[in-house]
Amino acid sequence: MADTSSNAKIGTEIAAETLPSALVSDYGRTSIADTVVSKIAGIAAREVAGVHNLGGGTARAVGLLRERIPGSRTNLSQGVSVEVGEKQAAIDIEVVADYGVAIADLAQGIRRNVISAVERMTGLEVTEVNIAVSDVHLDGEDDTEDTTDDLQERRVQ
């Protein structure tokens, strides 16, 4: 009988160890899509003071075109790529920083905010948040300035 109770105890410990996270229970599993995590991370990164925009030049240009289409929405996951497993997530973010902001402090703030939001909202453990600063935004630069309108006006005149 002592063997049975010790086996039951070992079985319970193994079962507790095999539960990957709060997303798995005796009643079923919860899976979270990559797009969900990327949107959460994108929103959390944009909330940090000193972040002007997310994404590289091409992604921002495509985003500007997308916003001009009637009925379209802003791509909240622009500049964010994620890898999501059963219990963990790794996140890569490309940032355009405001000029004058300490980039190391900005990266730390983004990392802290993204990890907090993703872990709180999804129950996933964030293993890493890699940040690439691709540009610095200067006051007076206008991202929404459309040079194609200027070209069209010159053609018509």
Side-chain angles (χ1 to χ4, degrees), residues 11-20:
T12 305
E13 291 172 358
I14 291 172
E17 290 175 10
T18 59
L19 286 178

Side-chain angles (χ1 to χ4, degrees), residues 40-54 79-80 91-98 101-118 126 128-134:
I40 293 168
I43 292 168
R46 283 180 174 86
E47 290 174 348
V48 177
V51 172
H52 178 73
N53 206 343
L54 298 183
V80 180
I91 303 167
D92 298 322
I93 302 174
E94 191 170 356
V95 176
V96 176
D98 286 329
V101 174
I103 293 175
D105 294 341
L106 178 64
Q108 185 178 14
I110 292 169
R111 210 170 267 118
R112 183 176 36 247
N113 207 39
V114 167
I115 290 170
S116 172
V118 170
V126 177
E128 63 184 31
V129 177
N130 299 310
I131 299 168
V133 179
S134 61

